[in-house]
């Protein structure tokens, strides 16, 4: 039987408690022993409260208090008193009060911790993840998980009010060719056969539309066996939704209303909707990316015309090959020669053959390693294409194939903005990117692959177009340079779906093996439909100002895909593998 009954949270103690007897329970954050008086900061989820154990008040409590240590779990009962004026701690929510302890009970002891909680920000992340439960005790982590809960709760409320049903879809599912690499699960009952963990509930949610559900959503766990980064985990959570009888704007509008409501209820911020929209072509041409960060400028400038008559062979030859010249203009740059050399190296690391820098001057020749090839009129010519250019600005110039060059410039733009501290971290810049290409060429596999997924509908006119110009009815939601969500209007017609599969190199047999159920459903009264999925971890990361999604996931994997707490993945006993009919070749390191 529980021997105590908690009557308040440590962080909730307020004026109304003064003079009353309350019972708190929590962890010992800090203990200071002043002989007859022991001060303890007691912590629970709600915050901190100072308790005083006075030998004069209770010798028994004082004796117990003299043995407790950091992270002991205790419960205390005592009287709330106001602190004297000089001892009020304004940094603490309950800093005007203290608890005069009558009784204290140790509920559990704690050995010395592997790291000090106050210092966890400086502790190796692997150690934090090994003892994640200790890490989570920190108020900053509890606050992140609280906000995550509030965000999910607000999403559920909005979607419920918008007429969506929350429906769970299977975790053990079929291996499909949706895009990312899947995690496989062996079947014991069907030896030699495998389930796949869903990389998203994509096909099930479409089948729910075939099932007449009309509006579905799910806080869905997704699994992808891909290289990990700060915003990627092998298992992550999507806010996934699908709607019937809608177009792109209908879906985007629901998301905008949802975001506005979440921001208002959770962060008390107004979101200006509708959000701005930009086509993929414009985003790529201006920012070298399909997820531009609009918190700063530094657009890419097309400079082939400026260099049309250049005597410089590298640029002339590049243009003769049909390549393009692009550049970034850094206003009033104070970069030294040494720094400029470093930027040239960075451009090469990003894949550029080389980079030219030019410091603009309105009189005399511009300063640059290629100054002797630049005409006196160079500044005036640049000014024609970049009216904002000023003497003292530096132009970074790269020549090469359009896609590669613009991608390199886009990445340089991000690095420059970081170095020049152009990013206002408090700002939220939302953006829809629309009109993506339907397909992209995978040079390694030597075939066309879907830019979004193979169920995305093409825009009208696609039958007459060649693969590289077909546009998709898809859209991404971008926040501060991070892809927060993606979705599309889907194909609901079997003939169109088979056609698209053919583009992707599926033969008749593959199509039926992988997607026979979908093609058949499309012949049995499939309604027009579309949807979107938001990366919930990414949303929470950005809204809480975190730098990695690992900060907003209770038990994330490391960059190498390990769970250092449970120590997964692990080898499995040979006997267990036999049950599944699996033998492992131990030639490779496990
Ligand atoms: P997509 O693959 O674009 O679309 O994923 C949607 C969003 O999920 C998030 N996300 C991730 N978050 C963390 N770790 C990962 N490894 C990871 N991968 C993706 C991103 C991304 O924008 N079924 C489609 C959606 C649809 O068409 O409705 C899908 O999954 O924020």
């Amino acid at each position: 039987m529980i021997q105590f009954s908690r009557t308040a949270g440590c962080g909730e103690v307020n004026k109304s408690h003064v003079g009353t007897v309350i019972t708190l329970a929590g962890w010992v954050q800090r203990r200071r022993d002043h002989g007859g008086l022991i001060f303890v900061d007691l912590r629970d989820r709600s915050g901190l409260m100072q308790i005083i154990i006075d030998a004069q008040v209770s010798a028994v409590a004082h004796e117990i208090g003299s043995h407790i240590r950091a992270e002991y779990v205790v419960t205390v009962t005592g009287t709330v008193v106001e602190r004297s004026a000089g001892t009020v701690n304004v940094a603490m929510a309950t800093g005007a009060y203290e608890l005069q302890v009558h009784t204290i009970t140790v509920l559990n002891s704690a050995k010395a911790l592997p790291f000090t909680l106050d210092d966890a920000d400086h502790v190796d992340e692997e150690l934090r993840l090994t003892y994640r439960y200790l890490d989570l005790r920190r108020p900053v982590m509890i606050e992140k998980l609280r906000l995550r809960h509030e965000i999910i709760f607000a999403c559920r409320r909005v979607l419920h009010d918008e007429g969506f049903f929350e429906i769970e879809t299977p975790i053990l599912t079929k291996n499909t060719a949706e895009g990312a690499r899947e995690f496989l699960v062996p079947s014991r009952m069907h030896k030699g056969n495998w389930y796949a963990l869903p990389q998203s509930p994509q096909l099930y949610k479409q089948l729910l539309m075939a099932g007449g559900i009309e509006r579905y959503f799910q806080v869905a766990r997704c699994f992808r066996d891909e290289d990990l980064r700060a915003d990627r985990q092998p298992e992550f959570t999507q806010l996934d939704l699908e709607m019937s009888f809608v177009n792109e704007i209908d879906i985007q509008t629901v998301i905008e209303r949802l975001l506005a409501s979440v921001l208002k209820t959770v962060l008390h911020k107004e979101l200006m909707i509708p959000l701005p929209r930009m086509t993929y072509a414009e985003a790529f041409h201006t920012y070298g990316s399909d997820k531009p960060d609009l918190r700063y400028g530094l657009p890419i400038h097309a400079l082939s015309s400026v260099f049309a008559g250049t005597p410089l062979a590298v640029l002339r030859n590049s243009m003769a090959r049909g390549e393009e010249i692009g550049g970034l203009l850094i206003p009033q740059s104070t970069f030294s020669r040494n720094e400029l050399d470093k930027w040239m190296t960075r451009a090469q690391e990003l894949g550029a053959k080389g980079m030219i820098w030019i410091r603009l001057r309105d009189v005399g020749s511009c300063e640059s390693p290629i100054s002797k090839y630049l005409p006196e009129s160079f500044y005036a010519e640049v000014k024609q294409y970049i009216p904002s250019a000023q003497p003292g600005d530096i132009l970074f110039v790269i020549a090469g194939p359009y896609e590669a060059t613009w991608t390199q410039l886009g990445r340089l733009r991000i690095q420059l903005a970081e170095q020049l501290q152009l990013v206002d971290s408090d700002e939220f810049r939302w953006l829809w990117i629309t009109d993506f290409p339907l397909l992209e060429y995978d040079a390694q596999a030597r075939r066309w692959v879907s830019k979004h997924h193979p169920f995305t509908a093409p825009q009208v006119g696609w039958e007459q177009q060649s693969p590289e110009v077909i546009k998709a009815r898809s859209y991404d939601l971008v926040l501060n340079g991070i892809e927060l969500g993606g979705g599309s209007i889907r194909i609901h017609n079997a003939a169109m779906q088979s056609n698209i599969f053919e583009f992707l190199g599926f033969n008749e047999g593959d199509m039926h093996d992988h997607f026979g159920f979908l093609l058949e459903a499309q012949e049995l009264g499939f309604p027009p439909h579309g949807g979107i999925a938001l990366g919930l971890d990414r949303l929470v990361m950005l809204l809480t100002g975190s730098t990695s999604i690992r900060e907003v996931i209770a038990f994330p994997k490391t960059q190498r895909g390990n769970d250092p707490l449970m120590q997964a993945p692990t080898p499995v006993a040979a006997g267990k593998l036999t049950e599944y009919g699996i033998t492992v070749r131990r030639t490779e390191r496990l």
Side-chain angles (χ1 to χ4, degrees):
M1 198 181 80
I2 298 180
Q3 299 292 327
F4 66 95
S5 172
R6 182 153 76 154
T7 56
C10 293
E12 292 162 3
V13 176
N14 59 51
K15 205 164 180 61
S16 73
H17 292 106
V18 175
T20 66
V21 172
I22 62 168
T23 298
L24 303 175
W27 287 261
V28 173
Q29 167 101 355
R30 218 169 286 115
R31 173 181 158 280
R32 294 178 307 276
D33 199 332
H34 290 229
L37 282 183
I38 297 169
F39 294 85
V40 173
D41 286 344
L42 192 65
R43 184 193 72 238
D44 66 12
R45 198 180 79 172
S46 64
L48 282 178
M49 175 70 189
Q50 175 163 284
I51 65 171
I52 297 186
I53 312 172
D54 185 344
Q56 304 279 323
V57 175
S58 166
V60 179
H62 188 267
E63 169 60 16
I64 297 171
S66 61
H67 290 109
I68 59 176
R69 296 284 174 269
E71 298 309 306
Y72 269 44
V73 188
V74 300
T75 177
V76 288
T77 300
T79 309
V80 178
V81 295
E82 261 171 313
R83 293 200 208 179
S84 57
T87 60
V88 169
N89 180 354
V90 287
M92 207 160 132
T94 60
Y97 316 101
E98 55 200 12
L99 189 78
Q100 286 281 2
V101 169
H102 311 156
T103 60
I104 175 166
T105 310
V106 173
L107 301 172
N108 211 345
S109 61
K111 295 192 293 187
L113 263 45
F115 57 89
T116 319
L117 299 191
D118 281 344
D119 199 35
D121 281 338
H122 306 110
V123 168
D124 176 44
E125 194 185 18
E126 182 115 6
L127 187 63
R128 281 177 57 200
L129 293 181
T130 307
Y131 294 96
R132 186 60 155 183
Y133 48 90
L134 297 181
D135 192 34
L136 291 180
R137 279 184 206 164
R138 299 188 298 135
V140 37
M141 294 304 287
I142 291 180
E143 178 59 10
K144 286 184 182 185
L145 290 186
R146 186 187 71 78
L147 275 168
R148 183 180 174 114
H149 158 74
E150 294 288 350
I151 290 166
I152 295 175
F153 190 64
C155 292
R156 285 200 157 106
R157 194 167 28 214
V158 174
L159 291 173
H160 168 82
D161 291 348
E162 297 260 357
F164 285 77
F165 293 171
E166 181 170 6
I167 299 175
E168 287 145 286
T169 52
I171 292 292
L172 290 180
T173 173
K174 179 185 160 96
N175 141 262
T176 63
E178 205 187 305
R181 190 183 297 122
E182 287 158 328
F183 286 99
L184 298 174
V185 181
S187 162
R188 181 184 56 80
M189 284 192 275
H190 306 277
K191 291 196 177 50
N193 290 287
W194 304 75
Y195 299 98
L197 301 182
Q199 46 185 288
S200 83
Q202 185 58 40
L203 284 165
Y204 283 111
K205 67 173 174 170
Q206 291 191 231
L207 294 170
L208 285 172
M209 298 303 105
I213 299 300
E214 295 197 15
R215 288 183 170 215
Y216 138 96
F217 87 96
Q218 182 176 194
V219 177
R221 301 305 295 275
C222 305
F223 306 86
R224 297 183 189 179
D225 190 358
E226 47 190 14
D227 293 339
L228 305 181
R229 293 191 305 232
D231 63 359
R232 262 200 206 160
Q233 278 276 297
E235 56 179 305
F236 62 98
T237 308
Q238 287 183 346
L239 182 73
D240 187 45
L241 59 88
E242 196 75 6
M243 303 164 78
S244 293
F245 310 115
V246 286
N247 61 29
E248 292 85 329
I249 297 290
D250 295 324
I251 295 162
Q252 291 163 6
T253 306
V254 165
I255 293 294
E256 288 174 346
R257 283 202 295 266
L258 174 120
L259 292 171
S261 173
V262 168
L263 260 80
K264 182 138 190 96
T265 51
V266 181
L267 297 183
H268 315 292
K269 288 196 172 175
E270 292 295 330
L271 181 69
M272 292 283 290
I273 52 175
L275 300 175
R277 285 167 168 71
M278 193 184 281
T279 64
Y280 168 83
E282 188 188 345
F284 190 74
H285 197 64
T286 319
Y287 301 107
S289 164
D290 58 0
K291 39 182 179 295
D293 191 337
L294 299 188
R295 288 174 299 173
Y296 51 89
L298 282 185
I300 299 175
H301 301 284
L303 296 174
S304 295
S305 312
V306 174
F307 290 98
T310 183
L312 187 65
V314 268
L315 298 185
R316 252 198 0 250
N317 295 342
S318 167
M319 285 187 283
R321 286 193 295 270
E323 297 174 352
E324 302 271 344
I325 302 176
L328 295 166
L329 185 77
I330 305 130
Q332 301 304 299
S333 171
T334 54
F335 283 144
S336 65
R337 283 267 176 159
N338 201 352
E339 285 170 313
L340 290 165
D341 285 345
K342 281 195 189 131
W343 282 108
M344 287 176 20
T345 312
R346 285 202 194 180
Q348 282 167 342
E349 284 162 3
L350 292 171
K353 281 220 191 87
M355 188 188 89
I356 297 165
W357 60 264
I358 302 164
R359 199 186 296 269
L360 300 180
R361 291 220 181 101
D362 49 353
V363 274
S365 53
C366 293
E367 186 191 343
S368 168
I370 58 146
S371 58
K372 66 175 179 202
Y373 297 101
L374 297 175
E376 286 278 318
S377 58
F378 186 73
Y379 172 73
E381 282 168 38
V382 168
K383 198 99 182 124
Q384 269 186 25
Y385 293 93
I386 318 176
S388 66
Q390 293 298 323
D393 294 354
I394 288 190
L395 203 53
F396 282 180
V397 179
I398 300 180
Y402 177 70
E403 297 248 334
T405 303
W406 257 243
T407 305
Q408 290 147 10
L409 287 164
R411 294 196 177 138
L412 268 187
R413 171 180 176 266
I414 296 171
Q415 295 188 8
L416 275 165
E418 266 166 29
Q419 175 129 357
L420 299 171
Q421 298 182 332
L422 302 181
V423 192
D424 175 356
S425 57
D426 289 340
E427 208 185 342
F428 287 143
R429 291 295 297 265
W430 304 83
L431 177 71
W432 287 108
I433 302 289
T434 63
D435 302 277
F436 279 88
L438 184 75
L439 305 163
E440 61 188 348
Y441 194 69
D442 180 339
Q444 233 176 358
R446 293 218 235 121
R447 62 182 181 85
W448 291 96
V449 294
S450 302
K451 184 119 181 130
H452 190 47
H453 51 57
F455 322 112
T456 296
Q459 294 188 5
V460 283
W462 67 280
E463 295 96 329
Q464 288 79 43
Q465 292 168 339
S466 52
E468 70 278 9
V469 293
I470 302 178
K471 292 217 168 56
R473 295 184 68 185
S474 65
Y475 33 83
D476 273 2
L477 179 67
V478 174
L479 174 56
N480 293 356
I482 289 180
E483 181 203 310
L484 208 55
S488 60
I489 298 297
R490 328 294 184 190
I491 300 168
H492 62 276
N493 165 297
M496 184 192 275
Q497 184 71 72
S498 306
N499 254 316
I500 297 295
F501 282 148
E502 273 165 34
F503 259 133
L504 300 173
F506 285 85
N507 61 34
E508 200 71 18
D510 290 344
M511 248 191 264
H512 283 275
D513 285 353
H514 284 289
F515 299 113
F517 62 94
L518 177 70
L519 293 166
E520 188 173 19
Q522 286 167 338
E523 290 179 324
L524 294 171
F526 216 132
H529 61 289
I532 188 167
L534 302 187
L536 250 177
D537 313 288
R538 290 187 189 176
L539 178 66
V540 180
M541 168 181 86
L542 290 165
L543 296 188
T544 57
S546 308
T547 49
S548 148
I549 59 172
R550 297 191 297 280
E551 292 294 307
V552 297
I553 296 176
F555 298 102
K557 303 281 187 289
T558 62
Q559 289 281 57
R560 298 196 56 241
N562 298 325
D563 171 353
L565 201 169
M566 298 260 184
Q567 302 207 326
T570 49
V572 168
K576 210 168 200 176
L577 288 177
T578 316
E579 282 182 35
Y580 295 90
I582 298 174
T583 38
V584 176
R585 276 190 294 132
R586 288 179 188 271
T587 47
E588 283 170 27
R589 238 185 97 227
L590 287 176

